[in-house]
Each structure stands twice: as structure tokens, then as C-alpha cells.
Amino acid sequence: MLSTHSTKIALCAIALIAFGILPNLATSQNSHGEEFHRLFHQADSLFDLGQYTAAGQLCDQALEMKGGQFPDSGFYTDGFSYWTEAGNQERSIFYLEKALLLRWQPQEILESLENDPEYEFLRQHERFREIMDTNYARREKYSGIADTLHQIKVKDQTLRQLLSCAREKFADDSLQLNAYYDLMGMQDSFNLIYVASVLDAHGWLAINKIGEPANRALWQVIQHSPLEVQEKYLPLLRESAEKGESRMSSYAFLQDRVLMRRGQRQRYGTQIAKHPDTGKSAVYPVEDPIHIDSIRASVGFEPIKEYAAFFDIEITSPADLDDQRVLEDRQERRKKNN
């Protein structure tokens, strides 16, 4: 039997490990704003101290801060754990529905919810059966696609997570590092064959159909594809995001990647480039440096200074977001490649 403490782990970490999807912790801790992560860190501390209602209230506060929609499904799992331990049926059901809708849960988790005595108070809620049946129905229809995309997500991320180790071990112009890049490119090509077949047959499948990790796998594979592929599928992602079926943040990253590869200014400030003169990281030039924070906030991003600081980039003025040398370098490289 799973306790609510262990369910918190199971609904989040175990689900990730079961599919081999390990989060980039450094990125996740810096991608939604300092205040947001402070609230969740405090909520976790209160949870560990047994102050479950207070933890749940902080989770609700963070949700309100994000306009009623968390940027990642794991935060709903946390909310479910806090309010379940507090014995608050209504808030537990709210977070459970979101957690099941957005993340593809292992069968053992579903069985625990259906059978373990500690969840009896949830099973008595009038919406529990409907929530579970809705989850089973979409699993029956999309499980094959979702499971394959989970595997592809692992393949996409594993080599990239090991890239820093390869760079430390081998010189930039070494045969070994070039072979590593070739291997990564080959894996990207294999991943794209399946993802393109899914997109062509079904469109950009919504989070509420295949779960957030599988939906994000579609984005990651396209994000790592040739420019012409990105341009082909960008409108599909935009339509999906505008309907609320995919994350606007995913669209923002892909839109910026396309603009950068075209040698144009990016809109949301997601892309980082190497400065051609200093060799240091720099924010690739943006369209509207003055209003960049409000533009980023519209898709749920933190202020540009916080984002840039994660890459050891200091932003002191709007001019730092419109370095002409970085833009010219990208344009020159594009001309050479063409």
C-alpha cells in the first residue's frame, strides 16, 4: 500500500523513472521564476514537517500566481499529495484530475488509487469515477503512441545530457567529439521518422490525449530537427498551443529557434548564442528588448534577467539583448550554409 508521501514520489519521480524520463533539475529550478520556486520549496518543507494544509495553501497560491495553470504536470502531483494528506477531499480531487490528465501514470498508481484504503475518501467523491474512467479511455486509445513517444523522449535527451561529459573529455575539433555529434544526429533522424508520421496522421496531439511528457517529446524532436522540418510543423504547434492543447512555452521555444536559424531576431528570448568576438554566451538578439519581460510573461516565462543569469549572462540594459555582432554572425553562417 502506498502512503501519500510515497504516492507523491510515485506520481512524479517513479513515473519519470519508469519511462526513463529524468528531468533536467537545473533547468526546472530556473524556468518558472524565483518566487514560484520559493513557494514550492517552502511548501515541500511544510509537507515534511507535517503541516499539510499550509503546504496545500502555498501550492494554491503558486497556482494562482501562474494564472490557474501550472507550467509542468509535476506541480499538480505535489498539490494532490499536500491536500490528500490534509484530508481535503475537494482540493485533492481537483489536483488528482489535473495530475492524471497531464501525466501518463503507471498502472500501479491507478491500482493504488482504486484499491488502497487511504484513498477511500477520494473514491466517495462524485467525480472520482468519472475522472478515472476518462483516464482509462484515453489510455486505451493512445497508449501505443504515448509509450513510443516516452521512449523517444529518453533517446532524445540521453545523448544531450551526456554531451557536457563528452565536451570535457574531448577537444572541440577531435574525431571523438565529431563522432559523438554524428551519433546524436543519427538518433535525431530516427526519432524524426516516427514523430513526423504521428504529426502527419494525427496533427499535434494534445496533452489531454497523450499526456504532457509525450506531447513534449513531439516538441523536443522537432526542436532538434532541420530548419525546413521546424518550419513545416511550427503552425501545427501554434494552433495546438492557442487551443490550450500544448504549452505556449513550447511554441515560444520553437518559434525563437526558427527565427534564429533564419538569421532574424527572436521574440521570446529563449535562445542563447556564443558571441563571435568573446566566445562567451549571450542572449540572441530579440525583437523588442524594451518589452521583453511582458512578452515572456505572456507565455509563462520568468523575467529575462533571471533566465540569462542561469547561463551566467548579465543583463544590464536593453542593449544587451540586441548585440549586432551576434546577429551578423548568425546571418553570415546562414549564407555560408546556403
Side-chain angles (χ1 to χ4, degrees):
M1 181 178 72
L2 293 172
S3 68
T4 47
H5 281 80
S6 59
T7 301
K8 178 181 179 183
I9 298 173
L11 281 172
C12 188
I14 290 179
L16 296 177
I17 295 169
F19 293 115
I21 305 170
L22 298 177
N24 184 329
L25 296 179
T27 301
S28 66
Q29 291 171 358
N30 290 273
S31 57
H32 310 309
E34 293 178 358
E35 177 61 16
F36 179 82
H37 290 292
R38 185 192 68 77
L39 287 173
F40 261 96
H41 179 74
Q42 187 176 353
D44 261 341
S45 297
L46 290 172
F47 181 83
D48 292 339
L49 292 172
Q51 299 180 35
Y52 307 123
T53 297
Q57 290 170 340
L58 286 179
C59 185
D60 288 356
Q61 184 179 337
L63 181 64
E64 184 177 350
M65 177 183 173
K66 287 298 180 180
Q69 181 176 343
F70 281 137
D72 292 300
S73 57
F75 296 119
Y76 290 105
T77 300
D78 289 346
F80 169 74
S81 299
Y82 302 151
W83 284 118
T84 298
E85 195 70 47
N88 188 312
Q89 185 192 54
E90 205 61 44
R91 297 309 293 161
S92 295
I93 283 290
F94 168 81
Y95 281 103
L96 175 63
E97 181 173 20
K98 296 288 187 180
L100 292 182
L101 180 68
L102 298 178
R103 187 174 293 283
W104 207 263
Q105 303 294 347
Q107 187 64 30
E108 64 191 84
I109 299 300
L110 303 180
E111 291 174 357
S112 175
L113 290 166
E114 292 273 25
N115 301 310
D116 284 1
E118 65 199 277
Y119 300 120
E120 178 60 31
F121 82 108
L122 291 180
R123 292 193 287 272
Q124 293 174 3
H125 193 281
E126 60 183 8
R127 297 208 60 242
F128 179 83
R129 189 71 267 146
E130 178 188 350
I131 290 170
M132 297 300 291
D133 288 347
T134 298
N135 182 70
Y136 291 135
R138 71 169 183 139
R139 289 173 71 91
E140 183 176 352
K141 186 173 182 179
Y142 295 106
S143 60
I145 293 175
D147 289 346
T148 302
L149 287 174
H150 284 138
Q151 296 168 12
I152 283 177
K153 183 177 174 68
V154 174
K155 294 173 183 177
D156 176 271
Q157 289 296 292
T158 299
L159 289 176
R160 286 178 167 81
Q161 290 172 346
L162 295 173
L163 180 57
S164 60
C165 298
R167 284 173 171 167
E168 289 177 5
K169 186 173 180 62
F170 304 115
D172 288 345
D173 58 350
S174 66
L175 291 174
Q176 292 92 335
L177 193 58
N178 285 332
Y180 193 94
Y181 283 124
D182 288 343
L183 179 62
M184 197 156 59
M186 189 175 0
Q187 186 61 64
D188 287 347
S189 297
F190 291 147
N191 291 344
L192 179 58
I193 292 172
Y194 182 78
V195 165
S197 72
V198 170
L199 293 173
D200 291 341
H202 303 280
W204 205 288
L205 285 170
I207 290 173
N208 63 12
K209 292 181 179 178
I210 59 174
E212 186 174 57
N215 175 273
R216 189 166 293 182
L218 295 173
W219 163 69
Q220 286 177 327
V221 170
I222 300 301
Q223 185 83 349
H224 299 145
S225 296
L227 176 59
E228 60 270 20
V229 174
Q230 295 174 337
E231 291 174 327
K232 175 181 178 180
Y233 293 112
L234 180 63
L236 286 182
L237 177 53
R238 178 173 184 169
E239 180 182 1
S240 179
E242 288 177 344
K243 290 179 180 178
E245 296 176 348
S246 297
R247 299 292 190 191
M248 280 301 299
S249 57
S250 296
Y251 167 72
F253 268 100
L254 185 57
Q255 172 70 85
D256 277 357
R257 180 69 62 89
V258 168
L259 290 171
M260 183 181 74
R261 296 179 77 175
R262 288 174 177 168
Q264 300 170 326
R265 288 175 175 79
Q266 62 176 327
R267 177 162 179 75
Y268 300 98
T270 65
Q271 302 300 296
I272 306 298
K274 183 178 290 187
H275 197 287
D277 298 332
T278 66
K280 295 182 179 180
S281 295
V283 176
Y284 184 79
V286 303
E287 296 173 353
D288 189 351
I290 300 297
H291 302 105
I292 186 62
D293 280 347
S294 61
I295 292 171
R296 287 176 59 81
S298 70
V299 293
F301 289 149
E302 75 277 50
I304 192 65
K305 283 187 178 181
E306 288 184 29
Y307 181 71
F310 175 65
F311 300 95
D312 295 323
I313 301 170
E314 183 179 8
I315 304 297
T316 58
S317 73
D320 294 329
L321 302 173
D322 192 21
D323 193 312
Q324 293 302 302
R325 282 292 295 123
V326 178
L327 185 65
E328 291 167 0
D329 178 64
R330 171 60 64 173
Q331 292 170 341
E332 290 170 5
R333 282 194 283 158
R334 176 168 169 75
K335 288 179 182 178
K336 290 179 182 178
N337 292 335
N338 290 339

